Amino acid sequence: MNVVVQRARHPQLKNYIHATVAGLLPFVQKGMVERVAVIFFNADNVPLEKFVFKLAMNQAYGSEVEEVDLEFSLRSFLIKLSHSESLCKGLPPDCRWEITAYFRSLPETGTSKEADLWIPTDTKQWQQPPLITPIKSMSCEPLCLQLYLEHPSLSESLL
């Protein structure tokens, strides 16, 4: 797509990201995934910030996907993503991160190998609604995608 993107160099990290995205693909295609978040945690396992990708797949879309339109939309999305670093707050050196998927309906365990890879999370939630910073949205049938950044509210971050 003629876009420079960052990529993991460490083999285990590359495998984790690839396995996660590949494991989500069947559920995204079925319209079961509402959001995918990359969540950064502090040492106490409290979320510091979340990059949230909100997905909507038009399951009723019957005609051929216009690859040129989709590629153009995804390209502009990737360009905006690469410039979103300025919206982030500095993270402490002892933080960690994970990829979390929010399902509209839970996949039934035991029905597929992919469903068995996903486990319920015990991620701590913020007590107050988060501060949301929109980054980019796109709509190109059959895909609608929004990216936004969540931070704890000012009152919560003082706790």
Side-chain angles (χ1 to χ4, degrees):
M1 290 188 205
N2 283 332
V3 177
V4 176
V5 293
Q6 300 293 320
R7 161 184 146 154
R9 284 194 271 181
H10 193 280
Q12 288 177 316
L13 179 58
K14 283 174 36 180
N15 289 339
Y16 169 72
I17 294 169
H18 178 27
T20 302
V21 172
L24 274 175
L25 185 59
F27 304 111
V28 169
Q29 291 171 328
K30 293 176 188 171
M32 296 173 71
V33 177
E34 179 186 357
R35 293 172 290 152
V36 177
V38 179
I39 306 173
F40 295 89
F41 299 90
N42 66 13
D44 297 325
N45 209 30
V46 175
L48 298 171
E49 69 182 14
K50 301 177 186 180
F51 277 90
V52 182
F53 296 83
K54 187 172 182 181
L55 305 160
M57 288 287 293
N58 182 353
Q59 299 298 315
Y61 190 75
S63 60
E64 289 291 316
V65 174
E66 294 292 330
E67 285 188 34
V68 173
D69 294 339
L70 185 58
E71 184 175 314
F72 179 77
S73 294
L74 288 172
R75 183 179 187 280
S76 67
F77 198 89
L78 290 172
I79 290 170
K80 185 68 173 185
L81 179 59
S82 67
H83 294 289
S84 65
E85 185 178 342
S86 63
L87 301 171
C88 302
K89 297 179 179 179
L91 295 171
D94 60 345
C95 70
R96 67 175 192 82
W97 62 276
E98 69 181 32
I99 299 172
T100 301
Y102 298 87
F103 287 80
R104 287 184 176 86
S105 59
L106 293 176
E108 294 182 28
T109 56
T111 58
S112 71
K113 182 177 71 170
E114 292 87 7
D116 293 337
L117 296 175
W118 293 94
I119 58 170
T121 183
D122 58 355
T123 299
K124 294 179 183 176
Q125 300 297 318
W126 294 312
Q127 300 302 313
Q128 302 294 319
L131 297 173
I132 296 176
T133 305
I135 296 175
K136 181 73 176 161
S137 64
M138 62 161 270
S139 180
C140 184
E141 289 294 343
L143 174 66
C144 294
L145 184 60
Q146 291 181 329
L147 172 61
Y148 53 93
L149 185 60
E150 289 185 0
H151 285 108
S153 68
L154 294 176
S155 62
E156 186 131 12
S157 59
L158 297 175
L159 297 177

